[in-house]
């Protein structure tokens, strides 16, 4: 089954690493059930290693914006073929691409007179992914399917995003809410993705340091 319709052939796209670093711009040359081919535009595509995962931002004024993830199967400076292509959100969910967090956030509401967002309740983010967040919300009394607006402050990212509550749970008497992001813009997705990758790198470095400390202590 094709993840992206044939109508996206000819669309301009950006090739990015999974760390969100721009590799090249290109054009979606061919879409099949087995692969998606990206062709170079004005400049050659830097050679990519077989099997590496890449992100593709696809722009199409009629069909809309898509973010894809795929594995490099064949590559040259003129084109590359990606296999096992899926949407970034599906990839993230399938691979449990999320990090634990202890980060404040704010449920907000709009002031009808000024049309500005006002902080209403402080909550705590307990994990975050590109798909959504898990909130610890002691004063929460929301039901599954409810929509909320959440102010996120993640590094330089400080914006209000819309969420829908997809699950609720009780942990030792404290309400927790699993919330799914709704209609993130490309800059919002990029900013959240950058935050997640930065936190992952920090965790990897911390684990390596702790492991090296244990190894030294055992000698």
């Amino acid at each position: 089954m094709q993840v992206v319709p044939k109508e996206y052939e000819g669309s301009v796209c950006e090739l990015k690493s999974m760390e969100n670093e721009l590799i090249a711009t290109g054009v979606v040359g061919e879409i099949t059930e087995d692969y998606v081919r990206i062709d170079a535009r004005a400049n050659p595509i830097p050679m990519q290693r077989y099997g590496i995962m890449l992100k593709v931002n696809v722009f199409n004024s009629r069909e809309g914006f898509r973010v894809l993830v795929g594995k490099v199967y064949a590559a040259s400076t003129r084109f590359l073929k990606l296999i096992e292509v899926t949407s970034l959100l599906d990839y993230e969910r399938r691979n449990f691409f999320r990090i634990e967090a202890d980060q404040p956030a704010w449920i907000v509401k709009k002031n009808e007179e000024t049309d500005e967002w006002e902080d209403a309740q402080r909550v705590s983010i307990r994990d975050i992914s590109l798909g959504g967040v898990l909130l610890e919300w002691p004063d929460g009394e929301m039901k599954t399917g409810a929509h909320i607006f959440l102010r996120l402050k993640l590094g330089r990212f400080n914006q209000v995003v819309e969420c829908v509550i997809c699950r609720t749970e009780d942990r030792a008497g404290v309400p927790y809410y699993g919330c799914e992001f709704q209609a993130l813009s490309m800059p919002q997705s990029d900013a959240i993705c950058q935050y997640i990758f930065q936190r992952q790198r920090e965790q990897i470095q911390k684990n390596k340091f702790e492991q090296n400390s244990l190894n030294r202590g055992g000698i």
Side-chain angles (χ1 to χ4, degrees):
M1 179 181 177
Q2 293 175 186
V3 174
V4 58
K6 294 281 286 185
E7 285 76 12
Y8 279 85
E9 290 183 345
S11 301
V12 174
C13 64
E14 293 177 335
L15 280 171
K16 290 190 174 185
S17 70
M18 294 303 292
E19 289 76 22
N20 221 39
E21 297 173 347
L22 180 65
I23 296 170
T25 58
V27 175
V28 179
E30 184 181 11
I31 299 170
T32 74
E33 293 184 358
D34 300 317
Y35 64 84
V36 173
R37 192 188 77 233
I38 307 298
D39 296 334
R41 295 187 73 196
N43 299 314
I45 298 174
M47 288 297 296
Q48 300 299 309
R49 176 169 52 86
Y50 170 81
I52 192 172
M53 301 297 295
L54 296 179
K55 185 171 81 168
V56 186
N57 293 336
V58 184
F59 305 91
N60 187 298
S61 58
R62 294 190 306 274
E63 303 298 326
F65 174 71
R66 293 284 183 104
V67 183
L68 308 175
V69 172
K71 183 185 297 183
V72 173
Y73 175 72
S76 73
T77 57
R78 295 180 295 105
F79 74 93
L80 60 80
K81 289 183 179 180
L82 300 176
I83 60 173
E84 300 177 18
V85 177
T86 185
S87 72
L88 180 61
L89 186 56
D90 286 343
Y91 172 83
E92 181 274 331
R93 286 172 174 164
R94 186 183 65 212
N95 290 276
F96 304 100
F97 190 59
R98 64 178 59 244
I99 58 168
E100 294 183 357
D102 184 10
Q103 185 78 23
W106 289 262
I107 307 296
V108 297
K109 60 182 180 180
K110 184 163 285 190
N111 186 309
E112 295 182 358
E113 295 181 358
T114 64
D115 202 37
E116 294 181 352
W117 294 107
E118 296 180 346
D119 296 345
Q121 293 186 52
R122 175 170 168 156
V123 295
S124 298
I125 298 175
R126 292 311 180 198
D127 70 39
I128 182 170
S129 72
L130 194 59
V133 293
L134 178 66
L135 299 180
E136 180 183 343
W137 189 358
D139 298 325
E141 296 181 355
M142 305 296 287
K143 295 182 179 180
T144 301
H147 286 250
I148 61 172
F149 291 90
L150 185 68
R151 183 185 301 281
L152 297 178
K153 294 184 179 180
L154 308 173
R156 296 181 180 180
F157 181 84
N158 181 3
Q159 294 189 31
V160 173
V161 297
E162 183 180 2
C163 303
V164 62
I165 295 174
C166 53
R167 74 177 191 278
T168 63
E169 56 184 281
D170 184 284
R171 298 186 181 182
V174 178
Y176 278 68
Y177 295 85
C179 303
E180 185 177 282
F181 295 137
Q182 298 293 292
L184 289 179
S185 68
M186 184 173 66
Q188 289 175 329
S189 296
D190 285 347
I192 293 172
C193 195
Q194 288 173 5
Y195 173 80
I196 291 171
F197 277 116
Q198 178 61 35
R199 289 296 305 275
Q200 282 190 326
R201 286 192 290 267
E202 292 172 358
Q203 188 61 53
I204 290 171
Q205 292 172 355
K206 179 182 178 182
N207 292 342
K208 286 182 177 179
F209 176 79
E210 291 176 348
Q211 187 60 48
N212 289 336
S213 298
L214 288 173
N215 291 340
R216 286 195 298 269
I219 295 176

